[in-house]
Amino acid sequence: MTEEAIEAPRIVVGVDGSDSSKAALRWAVRQAELTGSAVEALTSWELPKTYGWPSPSAEVPDYEKDAGQALAETIRTAVGTGHPVEIRPLVVRGHAAAALLDAADGATLLVVGNRGHGGFAEALLGSVSQQCVQHASCPVVVVRGPGS
């Protein structure tokens, strides 16, 4: 039997630190318990748009490291440290929707919150959730955050 044949099913979940992404992570962990799946908790980052020349004395932040630390903290606060399933943190450079769609290729399920940090508070779905629902190659679950 090959390693691919015995690999646990994967549930990919988008995590940006918002309340709805924490709810999505908790939902994904509960579903993984029921199905014997591993959870891939994905956050993405992009270089900020800048104008002009940066100051020569300005320290350049490590965006990937910062995103990884924020993801680890969100996992810890949302599901604790003694979670019963394997959670694989993934930090990806790029647009959130594209990163989630790429990671979900071959997954059994993609889980996203209904809205992240950006956009309009009145929107039922955020732009990332909408892109995932429309273009994912696997089933998608959209989890509403508290107060949605």
Side-chain angles (χ1 to χ4, degrees):
M1 208 178 250
T2 67
E3 188 176 316
E4 288 180 356
I6 59 172
E7 185 177 308
R10 298 181 302 121
I11 296 174
V12 176
V13 58
V15 179
D16 67 0
S18 66
D19 288 342
S20 65
S21 79
K22 290 176 186 175
L25 178 59
R26 287 189 290 271
W27 192 96
V29 167
R30 285 192 305 272
Q31 183 66 19
E33 284 181 76
L34 296 172
T35 60
S37 301
V39 172
E40 293 183 350
L42 184 144
T43 194
S44 67
W45 64 277
E46 292 184 287
L47 289 173
K49 308 281 189 267
T50 60
Y51 299 95
W53 295 97
S55 169
S57 63
E59 187 176 319
V60 178
D62 187 341
Y63 296 107
E64 184 171 14
K65 180 181 173 190
D66 293 346
Q69 289 172 340
L71 176 59
E73 177 63 17
T74 300
I75 292 170
R76 188 187 65 71
T77 60
V79 296
T81 56
H83 35 78
V85 299
E86 178 184 8
I87 299 178
R88 303 173 191 149
L90 299 175
V91 179
V92 178
R93 181 178 178 181
H95 186 270
L100 286 166
L101 291 169
D102 286 345
D105 190 33
T108 56
L109 191 62
L110 173 59
V111 182
V112 293
N114 65 319
R115 287 189 7 83
H117 284 300
F120 301 100
E122 302 82 29
L124 295 175
L125 279 182
S127 60
V128 171
S129 302
Q130 185 71 41
Q131 287 291 311
C132 290
V133 167
Q134 290 178 328
H135 300 289
S137 60
C138 65
V140 179
V141 172
V142 179
V143 178
R144 291 173 55 118
S148 293

